[in-house]
Amino acid sequence: GNQTLEVLHLPDTVGQIGASAFRNCSHLRVAEIPGMAVTIGEYAFTGCSEALLFLCAPGSEAQDYAMNSALDYQAGTVYRALLIAQTYQGSRYALTGPKNDATALAQCLSQLETTGYEVTTRINLKVSDMLSAIETVFAEASEQDVSLLYYSGHGFEDGALMGSDLMELMPAELKASLDTIPGRKVVIVDCCYSGTLIEEEEEEAAGEEESGEEDATETVLLRSSRAVSDGEEKVITGQLSPSPEAFNDAFLTPFSAAFSGPLRQSGYYVITACRAEEESEEGIVPGSRIKPYGFFSYGLCRGCGWDGPSASKIDFLADGDEGHAISLQEAFVYARDTALGYNATQNAQVFPSNCRWFAPFRP
């Protein structure tokens, strides 16, 4: 019940932490427990700061306790980030915002101290190159590490991401690639229909799967851009005609199947820029002049202490509980609310919901 204790340092000679030892120490936000075999009693850290961070040794009893108790931890943890931005230069689907988004997020992640990310940015990757980049950047990830994948570009109604070659990276392919990465995985996607990543699949209308005729002839809206021309705002939307095969694949491997169910126990933490049926927009934000940003990505960076247009460090605006950490839920809420301020029909989504204990962004 100590209300002033914020940081706890224990020597490695401590072998046991008794039951309820630090229970209801509500301001305790960091607990350093270096011992390999220290045992931790029941309710020892119940009622502490929501984003309490364990600093412990790899493979230690304290790490196991943190993992089994839904506590954030660092145990020789390496934070890695792969940021993929698709601008489709020279095509009719060209975007300018994704490159600005990735630049801002790279600067944002690099300025974090407690969770200092090793950032790799890739612009305009073909589908095969996206999969190759995932494999390469996260090749050395271990069970205690955090791997963050960010994508900004076009998205398809079937949940696929669009490569610079205008081909589809299907959900099942993406899942298979990410499944090989051990540890905790953060997936952040800023594109149209990205909510398909985590929303429950709705049952298809009777007979729709069999015929497929209407699906095969529809056009698919991609990420929209909101631009200013002659002082008047207008919306520019790219379109692409999908193949019948793509829609058949959508029935067999829906995005919701890729990132729901058993992955709730597999270390996935996902934020998407909008719902499954919505578009994600980019446009002019304060200070950006004629340089567009994705409204969701702009809010994500600002929430985590970085203003993209001015390329400057700001307060950690998403840290609503002043816990010196930006939890998954806090990052999601700030990015969602920012996007809604510019586009009232863009509702960001998060999985798992209300996750306040895992903080992938710590100043």
Side-chain angles (χ1 to χ4, degrees), residues 248-301:
N248 289 334
D249 286 344
F251 292 122
L252 297 174
T253 56
F255 229 161
S256 57
F259 286 93
S260 62
L263 288 183
R264 292 177 184 271
Q265 288 80 40
S266 300
Y268 279 93
Y269 303 89
V270 188
I271 307 178
T272 66
C274 60
R275 289 177 176 158
E277 71 279 7
E278 295 176 344
E279 296 176 20
S280 175
E281 289 191 349
E282 64 177 26
I284 307 304
V285 296
S288 65
R289 299 183 181 178
I290 60 173
K291 196 175 180 180
Y293 288 81
F295 297 138
F296 163 82
S297 295
Y298 169 69
L300 178 69
C301 290

